Amino acid sequence: QVQLVESGGGLVQAGGSLRLSCAASARTYTRYHMGWFREAPGKDREFVAAITWNGDTTRYGDSEKGRFSIHRDNAKNTVYLQMNRLQPDDTAVYYCAASSIGISHEPQGYDHWGQGTQVTVSS
């Protein structure tokens, strides 16, 4: 079992940046592939980015390519999502997730979820 706690959300103006963090409790954290998803009001949960357990492979959603960057520090049991050039459409609750199988664009591919952190981008 792994517990995930996101932080770093907040209010930012369009064009600004935020870095989200996701701290994992489990000693087996390094065995998990990690992902970030987001959910805006009235919309389905959307894939944002994912990274393999050793950090050698990353994947991004189409709208995040070139703006967002995912990386992890296994010594700190933490995965990060650096978000640049934020736009109002990026407003959502951002969730961190862990998978014991592999990286996936689908929420069903993940076993454990954090509680989410709100990101609001003003125009």
Side-chain angles (χ1 to χ4, degrees):
Q1 187 73 14
V2 58
Q3 292 182 327
L4 306 172
V5 179
E6 301 97 333
S7 61
L11 174 64
V12 63
Q13 289 188 330
S17 299
L18 282 175
R19 188 179 80 158
L20 305 183
S21 299
C22 173
S25 64
R27 286 175 292 178
T28 55
Y29 163 76
T30 55
R31 300 179 187 176
Y32 287 91
H33 311 285
M34 302 297 295
W36 284 97
F37 287 77
R38 67 186 183 187
E39 190 170 325
K43 295 187 177 181
D44 293 335
R45 191 162 294 191
E46 176 188 21
F47 173 75
V48 174
I51 187 168
T52 50
W53 71 272
N54 59 359
D56 66 347
T57 301
T58 57
R59 294 286 185 268
Y60 296 92
D62 289 339
S63 62
E64 291 79 33
K65 289 178 182 177
R67 300 190 301 128
F68 292 7
S69 176
I70 186 172
H71 66 279
R72 65 192 294 166
D73 184 340
N74 285 348
K76 296 182 178 180
N77 281 15
T78 302
V79 62
Y80 303 94
L81 182 68
Q82 177 67 43
M83 304 187 295
N84 299 323
R85 303 197 303 278
L86 285 162
Q87 298 301 315
D89 284 349
D90 295 316
T91 296
V93 177
Y94 283 71
Y95 296 91
C96 172
S99 171
S100 58
I101 298 175
I103 56 177
S104 171
H105 287 218
E106 300 297 330
Q108 296 88 334
Y110 294 83
D111 312 297
H112 307 283
W113 292 84
Q115 83 290 349
T117 185
Q118 177 71 46
V119 171
T120 303
V121 185
S122 63
S123 58

